[in-house]
Amino acid sequence: MMNWGKAWLNYKKIDGMEETKLLDEIYYYWEDPIIVNAAAELETALTKMQEISVTSRRIEKGEEAKLPSGVILQVEESSSLDKEGYRITREENKIFIEGKEPTGVLYGAFHLIRLIGCGESIERLAIEEAPSNPNRMLNHWDNIDGSIERGYAGKSIFFDKENILLNDRTRDYARLCASVGINGVVINNVNVRGAATRLITKEYLPQLKKMADIFHGYGIKLFLSLNFAAPMEIGGLTLADPLDSQVITWWKGAFKEIYEYIPDFGGFLVKADSEGRPGPFTYHRTHAEGANMLAEIIKPYGGIIVWRCFVYNCKQDWRDRLTDRAKAGYDNFMPLDGKFNDNVILQIKNGPMDFQVREPVSPLLGGLRHTNQILEVQVTQEYTGQQRHVCYLIPMWEEVLKFKTYCGEKADTVADIVSGRTFYQTNCGMAGVANIGNDENWTGHDLAAANWYGFGRISWDTTLTAEEIAKEWILMTFSDDERVIENITGILMNSWPAYEKYTSPLGIGWMVNPGHHYGPNVDGYEYDRWGTYHRADCKGIGVERGQAGTGYTLQYHEPNASMYEKIETCPEELLLFFHYISYTHKLKSGKTLIQHIYDTHFEGVEDVEEMIKKWKALEGSIDSDAFERVTLRLKEQLSNSKDWRDIVNSYFYRKSGIADGKNRTIY
Ligand code: GCW
């Protein structure tokens, strides 16, 4: 039986390592908690992977020359490497892992472990790596009572009943994050309410310091989400106006105290003026004024303010054909481009709406030129099956990263922009809304761990493909059996397309039950009580977002704007996001829109049946507990996908009155 709590760090014997005597000792000559952790990780991994006893010890600098064999960890401050980068080389029986700073060595150690774990040769080694993105962060939406907003894997590992949790899991969490290069985590929900507002006070700081110390040993900075109204809610002030001197003084005191406890505290994530959260709008101040006030105070400590662009009016009247929620992010933040301090980063969701199964890329990415940016993706599967369905999300993020914005610079993809290459920024990167909880296997669905692993890997190296990442994860987690690799890769790679097929078609989004957002409900969307967000009527469906409609397409650079504007050039998977289309419109496949809706909903279910076949064939080849758990979830997915198929198809059959060309039963 495997220890699922260790996820992909559940090291196991690797065949063919028997003769490798060179890996039985780890040496380091730099006393630092991160290096000590790197050595300990190698010790554990190499012991298990080789089934020999491996030890680690400190040596004096220079001594390595006399050693016959082993893995040698070196920090060379004068090295030309990137500050988090590393070099792995081999000289006869010695392997050297060199970093400019200890974190580089830690990442190098995990790289070597991954190579061995994936069965790669270590005969010749000449590896040099640096991360694509400076900030690679996880955002947890954990509440201080232990519940998790949009969490599908149990309760929080950080909080319980208004207390901070510190246990073995804290360290294992940090190890798992570091192994894929994550270097910053926000542990509390962006919706900061009640006692969570007090996380920045002495009541919690001593415990948070302990957590930050554990994280520090793995190269991870601790961040918190902050309540913009804290000066009122816990400071006794009557306002939270960012330009008010009393408010500023209050924040100064609060930040000073935090840094007294946690000198390497990362900073804050802020959701302001959105979905009921307080913010600068109350005082007729701009988001730049709000963010800069905090940024100025935190600057001397080296902290950053990550300010979310998820700002929209959730009470908007969807029946008005000119107002468009998709436009809100750009409308709110473009006028402020260049007005934010250099330690403010704007965090932008990948799409203009809200983590739907298919959305275009947010036009802020490529729009903003003078502002640090972080791309936010949702690892937790709020709208993609809530970890009851398998939905491997890395292919989606890969597409987003490769999207050409045509911002007028040579390096113009989203990956270029958020890495800082395009506009020479150093405060930028990627953030993922975490999908973990205290479930034994961390992620509820065993296959959802691939999304956590994959988020880290792709934010470290944006050139990796989703398939490469899937294979690594399978090898590290399950087995090197060829059929296991082939079948699980097949399941993962087909899971997002399948989910898309049996849920909402061609970029229209939602169609879920309000509130918890699970299961089919075509008209169900809590912020649209008229059920019109998809504009479906008896003739067609889709939102006209071209110039004749809401004008959203104008937020893109050319040629993207024209591409989306015209039905003929608009990518078909986004057709209903951008246009109102009649049910009888012929798609490129030659099928009518209505037939496409029917067919894809049937196909999606068949795809799930195919996944089940692939999974069943693995019985006996993988851990039996994991096998059973996933089998159960796939069964639920199959039955839910049929619900989706039937409810969506019958809705459109009734609306359009057009029968299925293939005469299948539409319920
Ligand atoms: O997707 C929506 C979720 C909210 C979430 C919000 C956000 C944390 O339904 O639960 O709040 O996005 O991103 O702030």
Side-chain angles (χ1 to χ4, degrees):
M1 206 185 105
M2 298 182 56
N3 181 349
W4 284 93
K6 308 281 177 208
W8 57 88
L9 299 184
N10 185 26
Y11 304 124
K12 49 198 173 302
K13 169 100 173 63
I14 304 293
D15 294 333
M17 293 290 293
E18 292 80 5
E19 292 90 52
T20 348
K21 286 281 177 297
L22 80 160
L23 297 181
D24 59 359
E25 291 227 57
I26 326 284
Y27 304 100
Y28 57 96
Y29 49 73
W30 186 288
E31 201 63 64
D32 176 282
I34 300 178
I35 298 291
V36 172
N37 281 338
E41 198 65 39
L42 281 164
E43 203 181 305
T44 314
L46 296 176
T47 300
K48 296 214 174 130
M49 295 197 299
Q50 305 177 103
E51 279 187 352
I52 57 168
S53 112
V54 177
T55 52
S56 68
R57 73 178 168 92
R58 187 175 174 189
I59 54 169
E60 291 308 314
K61 194 164 184 180
E63 211 182 305
E64 68 274 11
K66 293 179 238 138
L67 300 168
S69 64
V71 182
I72 295 136
L73 309 183
Q74 299 174 306
V75 176
E76 293 298 344
E77 285 173 306
S78 61
S79 148
S80 59
L81 287 165
D82 177 272
K83 75 181 176 57
E84 292 180 298
Y86 54 83
R87 193 174 286 132
I88 309 177
T89 48
R90 174 150 180 187
E91 277 170 33
E92 296 183 354
N93 287 335
K94 289 181 246 182
I95 293 179
F96 294 88
I97 304 180
E98 180 194 329
K100 189 181 177 71
E101 291 183 6
T103 42
V105 174
L106 179 70
Y107 294 140
F110 279 117
H111 189 135
L112 180 63
I113 293 170
R114 189 166 59 240
L115 283 182
I116 300 171
C118 291
E120 301 281 328
S121 161
I122 51 165
E123 276 299 299
R124 266 183 223 102
L125 290 169
I127 294 167
E128 197 174 309
E129 284 227 7
S132 304
N133 292 301
N135 289 295
R136 305 172 302 279
M137 306 179 68
L138 278 182
N139 293 180
H140 291 263
W141 288 351
D142 292 19
N143 299 316
I144 198 160
D145 63 0
S147 62
I148 304 179
E149 181 156 347
R150 313 304 176 191
Y152 311 106
K155 301 196 101 189
S156 173
I157 62 158
F158 303 120
F159 306 107
D160 184 35
K161 302 189 190 82
E162 302 195 358
N163 291 313
I164 308 270
L165 293 177
L166 290 165
N167 52 39
D168 286 352
R169 276 222 136 155
T170 321
R171 184 173 296 275
D172 278 339
Y173 166 79
R175 292 174 55 229
L176 285 159
C177 284
S179 74
V180 289
I182 288 161
N183 65 358
V185 301
V186 187
I187 58 168
N188 66 313
N189 189 356
V190 285
N191 293 322
V192 189
R193 299 188 191 98
T197 306
R198 301 199 304 269
L199 280 170
I200 57 174
T201 67
K202 271 207 191 85
E203 187 181 341
Y204 290 105
L205 287 170
Q207 290 296 94
L208 286 176
K209 182 199 162 28
K210 288 186 195 151
M211 187 183 288
D213 284 347
I214 297 172
F215 288 174
H216 174 88
Y218 291 93
I220 297 167
K221 281 196 173 176
L222 175 72
F223 289 73
L224 289 173
S225 293
L226 160 158
N227 180 347
F228 200 76
M232 299 162 75
E233 289 185 25
I234 58 171
L237 301 186
T238 53
L239 75 183
D241 181 349
L243 301 192
D244 181 89
S245 62
Q246 273 179 296
V247 172
I248 296 170
T249 308
W250 188 85
W251 282 117
K252 279 189 178 153
F255 287 8
K256 182 163 176 276
E257 195 161 79
I258 294 168
Y259 279 93
E260 273 163 16
Y261 280 91
I262 311 171
D264 68 340
F265 182 71
F268 292 101
L269 175 64
V270 191
K271 171 176 178 178
D273 292 315
S274 177
E275 299 181 339
R277 294 292 79 215
F281 282 169
T282 315
Y283 308 97
H284 307 290
R285 309 295 183 200
T286 68
H287 279 237
E289 285 168 322
N292 290 345
M293 178 272 293
L294 297 169
E296 237 163 72
I297 304 174
I298 211 168
K299 186 154 174 119
Y301 305 105
I304 55 175
I305 299 296
V306 183
W307 193 270
R308 294 178 85 227
C309 290
F310 184 63
V311 176
Y312 72 103
N313 171 11
C314 61
K315 304 219 168 90
Q316 176 171 90
D317 187 342
W318 289 74
R319 292 168 304 174
D320 168 356
R321 293 190 174 230
L322 286 176
T323 46
D324 183 0
R325 171 170 168 188
K327 286 165 69 181
Y330 190 94
D331 285 349
N332 277 307
F333 286 92
M334 266 315 278
L336 299 176
D337 191 19
K339 300 218 161 73
F340 290 93
N341 289 9
D342 63 359
N343 60 331
V344 175
I345 314 182
L346 291 190
Q347 184 163 303
I348 306 164
K349 287 191 182 184
N350 61 272
M353 296 293 241
D354 193 6
F355 298 138
Q356 300 305 294
V357 68
R358 175 77 66 175
E359 285 188 44
V361 165
S362 165
L364 277 173
L365 297 157
L368 296 169
R369 304 180 69 86
H370 311 287
T371 307
N372 303 314
Q373 295 159 64
I374 278 183
L375 166 68
E376 179 180 323
V377 296
Q378 197 180 38
V379 191
T380 193
Q381 292 170 234
E382 176 179 4
Y383 291 104
T384 50
Q386 306 205 345
Q387 277 135 264
R388 301 198 222 170
H389 299 224
V390 49
C391 192
Y392 180 56
L393 295 166
I394 322 301
M396 181 202 286
W397 307 334
E398 199 186 335
E399 275 186 30
V400 171
L401 288 164
K402 291 199 172 124
F403 180 76
K404 263 177 93 61
T405 64
Y406 295 101
C407 63
E409 304 294 326
K410 215 165 153 221
D412 69 351
T413 65
V414 170
D416 292 325
I417 291 167
V418 301
S419 71
R421 285 191 290 275
T422 312
F423 302 118
Y424 308 101
Q425 285 147 350
T426 48
N427 269 332
C428 44
M430 284 177 71
V433 181
N435 64 347
I436 68 137
N438 70 358
D439 274 2
E440 161 73 12
N441 65 357
W442 296 92
T443 48
H445 200 309
D446 287 85
L447 299 183
N451 287 331
W452 179 14
Y453 180 90
F455 169 76
R457 295 290 289 133
I458 205 161
S459 62
W460 173 276
D461 181 354
T462 51
T463 67
L464 289 173
T465 67
E467 190 160 342
E468 281 172 307
I469 294 173
K471 290 201 168 125
E472 275 180 11
W473 175 77
I474 297 163
L475 280 160
M476 297 287 289
T477 306
F478 290 105
S479 146
D480 61 357
D481 177 292
E482 260 176 46
R483 195 163 47 158
V484 171
I485 300 169
E486 196 185 309
N487 286 14
I488 302 182
T489 306
I491 293 170
L492 291 176
M493 292 304 291
N494 201 27
S495 59
W496 175 46
Y499 190 82
E500 183 176 20
K501 282 187 206 164
Y502 62 77
T503 58
S504 77
L506 305 180
I508 195 70
W510 281 283
M511 299 197 174
V512 292
N513 286 304
H516 57 66
H517 298 163
Y518 189 77
N521 181 345
V522 178
D523 290 335
Y525 174 49
E526 64 262 45
Y527 294 135
D528 174 23
R529 61 200 157 98
W530 304 277
T532 55
Y533 75 89
H534 49 52
R535 312 275 202 254
D537 58 22
C538 65
K539 294 213 170 63
I541 173 175
V543 184
E544 196 48 59
R545 292 198 159 97
Q547 292 188 44
T550 72
Y552 166 75
T553 51
L554 294 170
Q555 295 185 343
Y556 290 91
H557 295 289
E558 287 296 357
N560 286 341
S562 304
M563 172 182 73
Y564 291 135
E565 178 72 36
K566 294 192 217 87
I567 292 177
E568 308 76 58
T569 51
C570 179
E572 233 162 38
E573 67 274 13
L574 286 167
L575 197 56
L576 303 181
F577 186 93
F578 283 103
H579 296 284
Y580 174 85
I581 302 288
S582 82
Y583 295 123
T584 52
H585 172 88
K586 280 241 164 71
L587 298 176
K588 293 196 182 97
S589 62
K591 287 181 191 174
T592 59
L593 170 63
I594 190 77
Q595 195 57 43
H596 173 90
I597 295 177
Y598 294 148
D599 285 356
T600 46
H601 282 77
F602 279 100
E603 276 165 35
V605 174
E606 287 157 21
D607 289 350
V608 179
E609 282 162 350
E610 190 56 38
M611 288 182 207
I612 293 177
K613 258 194 225 143
K614 287 203 165 92
W615 185 256
K616 279 208 173 128
L618 304 182
E619 185 160 18
S621 311
I622 59 171
D623 176 79
S624 57
D625 290 345
F627 178 80
E628 290 304 330
R629 281 196 298 264
V630 174
T631 303
L632 281 178
R633 300 229 170 194
L634 284 169
K635 205 172 147 206
E636 190 185 354
Q637 180 172 359
L638 179 62
S639 123
N640 282 192
S641 64
K642 288 179 180 162
D643 289 348
W644 271 100
R645 175 193 67 194
D646 295 341
I647 290 173
V648 174
N649 279 351
S650 70
Y651 179 97
F652 287 105
Y653 172 56
R654 285 187 201 137
K655 270 253 139 104
S656 69
I658 304 174
D660 171 33
K662 295 182 182 158
N663 283 325
R664 287 161 295 200
T665 314
I666 305 260
Y667 290 95

